[in-house]
Amino acid sequence: MTASPTHWDEEADVIVVGYGFAGATAAMTAHDLGAKVLLIEKAPEAHKGGNSRVSANIVFWPNDIDKAKTYFRAMAGPYMDDIPDEMLDVWAREMLANKAWLEGLGMVPVEIPYVEFPEFAGSDCVHVLLNGEGPVGGERLWRLIEASVDARRIDTLYETPVVDLVRDGREILGVTAERLGKRIAIRARRGVVLTCGGFENAPVMVRNYVTGLPTVYPVGTPYNTGDGIRMGIEVGADLWHMNNVSGPILSFKAPDIPVAQWLNLAHGKSYIFVGADGGRFTMEGEPCSVGDAHGKVRRHGQWQQQSLPLPIHMIFDETYRKSGHIGKAGADWDVSHGNRYDWSDDNLREVAKGWIKTAATLPGLADLIGIPADALADTVARFNADAREGYDPDWGRKANTLAPLETGPFYAMELTPAFVNTQGGPRRDAHARIVGVDGEPIGRLFSAGELGSIYSFLYQGGGNIAECFAFGRVAGRNAAQGADGDGTARS
Ligand SMILES: Cc1cc2nc3c(=O)[nH]c(=O)nc-3n(C[C@H](O)[C@H](O)[C@H](O)COP(=O)(O)OP(=O)(O)OC[C@H]3O[C@@H](n4cnc5c(N)ncnc54)[C@H](O)[C@@H]3O)c2cc1C
């Protein structure tokens, strides 16, 4: 945190920190209300867009306010207490308003079936939308939002990480940022909106805030390193939902690439995941690799955070090795930073690289990867017997995804826990103001997006992007209207 500087290098009415869906929405909203907006992004222009750009680009659209609130309450369960009714109300109303807002920007909504918790009351309000026909992902929604920002000619600084909030008492006056090797001070005449994402790529924060995951990598942008959390703490912000993450998923991390990769599993059946003790611990499978709901699993009749017995290996046989590429190939690989890797169709290039280990026998493989050979043999024998019966009594994997591991040689690939995204950050209120530990809003400081998201436990897919738009508009409106939302700009 920086005291008020004697010299400001630049000025704007509203400063928006971070250019993903939340930042874009806040910036456009403030701009459309007549504010001079400066959007500041840490990444180079070619890597812009944060998690928003590389996401599946699906949007949860609840079509009924009361049902949306009911569904939300069911998902939050015992973690509902700290979300005020007023905030839930704003969330539901703005979520409903998203569709018309997006259509106004040119979205062509195409619905896909994806109700994550159909058993919950209110779930019949869930609609999940893509922009136009085509596969999930593909940046179609991102390109629409990016074009909408471009059309407004909003001033944007790239490669400019914001490092500090500048304040006078409880009021935020601007930011300091690093630009071209120099520290610059930028004044915000009306407000600062933090939309700089979560802490997917902040290993120490992950260890401090999320239990049981000493090593986790992002599958999205590597630029979300918890900067907004650190800046929030420095100005006295309260934190919430820090232990709620979308994940862990199981992925592959190549040595020289900063982000982890989704797995491509469905081409074959004769594979399992085992933990440090050689035992299975979950229902393996796509899309999140652990047969889950964004990292939550149902155990003993309750939804719980998936726990991972690290190190975890994917074990498979020769038949599976030949059936298709386990890593994603080509353009799907780390799209936001231009890293591409051509994973071989038969996985032999990755065997040669040592990413996949191999041995003629299962005991030999167990020795190679340092897990108990007897335990691995027992696990495979049990899985094979169940697979032949077409039934997985231990973890409920579907019959049509089961086949015994029986053809040597055998293979092991270490899997890495990864986050889709984190949800925690500075607590915000119904007006998208960041709230201090004393419960009072910090003057002229707003937030939106996954930095301090409203989601406290279970999560409906598409909900993060929808929340970016919902609270992005609230933050943009209130920041554009000045310090206390009363239209007063600081002179
Ligand atoms: C692979 C993947 C698939 C997903 N699919 C979906 C989906 O389909 N639907 C859904 O709802 N959610 C999905 N999510 C989650 C969702 O994409 C994110 O939660 C959401 O996009 C976050 O948007 P945001 O604007 O808050 O942050 P981001 O889009 O991550 O943007 C934050 C920006 O802030 C920048 N930044 C960070 N620190 C600083 C700093 N100090 N100064 C300046 N800039 C900074 C970053 O570079 C980044 O560009 C997915 C996530 C991933 C990774």
Side-chain angles (χ1 to χ4, degrees):
M1 177 193 42
T2 311
S4 187
T6 49
H7 164 78
W8 296 101
D9 299 280
E10 292 201 32
E11 292 197 10
D13 294 327
V14 174
I15 293 174
V16 178
V17 181
Y19 184 2
F21 281 139
T25 307
M28 287 193 283
T29 305
H31 169 92
D32 291 354
L33 288 168
K36 180 177 179 326
V37 176
L38 180 63
L39 187 49
I40 309 181
E41 169 55 48
K42 182 183 192 176
E45 185 168 4
H47 301 177
K48 72 176 158 188
N51 280 343
S52 300
R53 176 176 159 199
V54 299
S55 74
N57 279 231
I58 65 171
V59 185
F60 163 32
W61 177 63
N63 69 345
D64 181 284
I65 289 177
D66 290 332
K67 286 181 181 178
K69 291 191 323 197
T70 303
Y71 188 56
F72 184 102
R73 284 198 184 92
M75 288 192 292
Y79 300 91
M80 185 66 217
D81 283 0
D82 63 344
I83 301 166
D85 281 350
E86 185 194 13
M87 181 148 189
L88 185 58
D89 203 51
V90 171
W91 173 84
R93 277 192 283 111
E94 294 290 342
M95 296 281 281
L96 179 70
N98 274 345
K99 183 160 171 275
W101 183 76
L102 286 164
E103 285 172 330
L105 296 177
M107 184 188 192
V108 180
V110 171
E111 187 158 350
I112 55 166
Y114 184 20
V115 185
E116 201 141 347
F117 305 99
E119 70 276 24
F120 287 170
S123 65
D124 56 327
C125 77
V126 176
H127 297 264
V128 174
L129 308 176
L130 288 170
N131 181 27
E133 297 289 349
V136 165
E139 300 186 19
R140 293 192 303 282
L141 185 59
W142 167 253
R143 280 194 229 110
L144 172 75
I145 298 295
E146 183 189 28
S148 308
V149 172
D150 288 350
R152 288 165 170 78
R153 299 178 183 280
I154 292 172
D155 290 339
T156 307
L157 298 176
Y158 295 102
E159 292 183 74
T160 308
V162 169
V163 290
D164 260 331
L165 295 166
V166 179
R167 74 165 169 177
D168 178 10
R170 277 194 77 92
E171 206 163 273
I172 302 303
L173 306 182
V175 302
T176 61
E178 276 166 11
R179 180 151 181 79
L180 303 172
K182 282 195 189 150
R183 193 57 79 93
I184 57 170
I186 308 170
R187 180 182 182 216
R189 287 186 291 263
R190 300 189 193 171
V192 172
V193 186
L194 294 181
T195 50
C196 46
F199 59 103
E200 297 90 33
N201 199 21
V204 174
M205 276 190 193
V206 171
R207 284 195 284 274
N208 277 332
Y209 291 118
V210 188
T211 306
L213 291 168
T215 310
V216 183
Y217 293 95
V219 283
T221 180
Y223 294 97
N224 287 354
T225 52
D227 301 4
I229 294 162
R230 181 186 50 73
M231 289 189 274
I233 291 171
E234 283 176 351
V235 296
D238 194 11
L239 299 182
W240 71 349
H241 307 159
M242 292 300 289
N243 66 359
N244 194 29
V245 292
S246 276
I249 65 172
L250 285 171
S251 63
F252 176 75
K253 169 74 176 60
D256 300 326
I257 294 185
V259 300
Q261 311 301 321
W262 300 91
L263 302 176
N264 180 44
L265 299 174
H267 48 78
K269 303 176 185 177
S270 48
Y271 73 91
I272 53 173
F273 299 165
V274 299
D277 64 355
R280 290 176 69 213
F281 55 91
T282 195
M283 176 175 77
E284 305 89 348
E286 291 185 58
C288 292
S289 327
V290 283
D292 64 349
H294 284 93
K296 308 293 189 290
V297 286
R298 220 170 147 75
R299 301 268 188 269
H300 310 290
Q302 288 182 338
W303 285 101
Q304 299 175 358
Q305 181 67 36
Q306 168 77 63
S307 67
L308 296 179
L310 300 174
I312 288 167
H313 287 87
M314 175 176 174
I315 308 287
F316 52 98
D317 70 355
E318 180 72 349
T319 307
Y320 187 83
R321 198 271 300 158
K322 288 178 176 164
S323 65
H325 55 93
I326 299 170
K328 295 265 179 180
D332 284 343
W333 188 281
D334 193 17
V335 278
S336 67
H337 328 101
N339 287 310
R340 280 168 184 247
Y341 175 75
D342 242 349
W343 195 289
S344 58
D345 282 343
D346 58 8
N347 302 294
L348 283 180
R349 193 178 302 133
E350 293 66 36
V351 173
K353 279 174 169 290
W355 295 356
I356 297 174
K357 311 257 187 271
T358 184
T361 63
L362 283 169
L365 191 67
D367 284 349
L368 209 55
I369 60 175
I371 64 172
D374 290 352
L376 182 63
D378 285 351
T379 301
V380 172
R382 184 180 170 97
F383 176 80
N384 285 355
D386 292 337
R388 285 188 194 102
E389 297 287 318
Y391 173 51
D392 177 20
D394 294 336
W395 300 104
R397 192 162 137 188
K398 289 197 181 96
N400 62 0
T401 68
L402 300 171
L405 288 69
E406 49 194 2
T407 329
F410 296 93
Y411 299 88
M413 183 172 100
E414 185 165 354
L415 301 181
T416 308
F419 285 156
V420 179
N421 59 284
T422 57
Q423 305 287 10
R427 177 190 294 269
R428 64 172 159 259
D429 68 7
H431 309 283
R433 298 176 298 194
I434 289 185
V435 177
V437 283
D438 56 5
E440 295 298 318
I442 296 168
R444 302 159 25 112
L445 184 62
F446 304 85
S447 76
E450 68 171 64
L451 175 71
S453 155
I454 193 170
Y455 302 113
S456 55
F457 186 43
L458 298 178
Y459 166 81
Q460 165 65 46
N464 273 114
I465 290 178
E467 188 195 20
C468 286
F469 299 140
F471 277 94
R473 287 194 302 273
V474 177
R477 278 200 297 265
N478 288 332
Q481 285 168 5
D484 305 311
D486 63 356
T488 316
R490 195 183 165 90
S491 61

